[in-house]
Each structure stands twice: as C-alpha cells, then as structure tokens.
Amino acid sequence: MHELSLMENALQIAEDEARRSEARRIHRLTLRIGEMSGVLPEALAFAFEALAPGTMAEGAELVLETMPVQCRCRSCGTDFHPATAIYECPACGQVSAQIERGQELELASLEVSR
C-alpha cells in the first residue's frame, strides 16, 4: 500500500509548513487527488488515521478532494473532460493524450492554530 508512504510524506510536509508559521496544531488538511493519480482515497484516509496520532495533526480532519481528468486537444485547443478511456475531443473528434489535470496529489491547504 503506497498510500501509507504518501500520507507519511504529506504529514511531514504539513508539519514543516505548520512549524514555519509557528503553529502548534494542525486542525484540517486538504489533499487534492487526481482521478488518474493511482491513489485510493479510502487507503489514504486509513493511512492518515494510522499515522496522525502523536503528530501535530492528531485529531485533525482530513479532507480529500477528487480532481477530475481534464485534457486539452492538441489540434483545436479545446479543454475537455473525457467521457471514456479514449480521450476524444468533443469539438473536433481528434484523440488527445495531453492531460492537463487529474494526475495530481497535492497538499492544497492547512488549517492550523498557534
């Protein structure tokens, strides 16, 4: 389960940022997970519950935001959400493999207190 190491890294980044702002406690972490990131939100939440005790994020709320896949057509420049696994542009019908969003895993925000 690679989600355990991903959450371990996310918690480390969150604690580093909290310390930089002289916070003592993390109340909420928001992570954005792309639909194509290969990360299972349920496994990430489970990892958070296992790793948060004893950290600045103990008792914190974990918010997981799923980011849909968004492609850009290389032929006509249209941004679109693919309806199937074949990323066909709805405007011109060309197949596009240019993924603009949906593969990310990022720490989007922190709510902390001093």
Side-chain angles (χ1 to χ4, degrees):
M1 171 168 38
H2 73 288
E3 283 83 355
L4 191 63
S5 63
L6 292 172
M7 182 51 73
E8 193 171 40
N9 290 337
L11 279 171
Q12 185 63 55
I13 292 167
E15 284 190 310
D16 291 347
E17 288 300 317
R19 284 189 190 97
R20 267 193 267 288
S21 66
E22 299 178 2
R24 299 179 77 194
R25 186 161 186 272
I26 298 171
H27 297 280
R28 179 183 300 160
L29 292 90
T30 301
L31 297 177
R32 290 189 184 130
I33 306 168
E35 286 179 330
M36 291 185 59
S37 67
V39 176
L40 298 173
E42 304 81 24
L44 206 57
F46 179 79
F48 178 75
E49 292 301 320
L51 295 171
T55 71
M56 292 173 72
E58 183 170 356
E61 175 186 6
L62 176 65
V63 177
L64 302 175
E65 296 178 350
T66 302
M67 302 303 291
V69 176
Q70 181 177 335
C71 296
R72 173 166 290 145
C73 180
R74 290 185 182 169
S75 297
C76 71
T78 299
D79 289 331
F80 64 96
H81 177 76
T84 67
I86 299 172
Y87 298 164
E88 184 178 324
C89 175
C92 71
Q94 293 295 312
V95 175
S96 175
Q98 186 173 338
I99 300 171
E100 297 291 312
R101 189 176 69 208
Q103 296 177 312
E104 64 270 54
L105 173 61
E106 64 183 7
L107 178 59
S109 67
L110 289 175
E111 184 178 306
V112 299
S113 64
R114 293 178 187 216

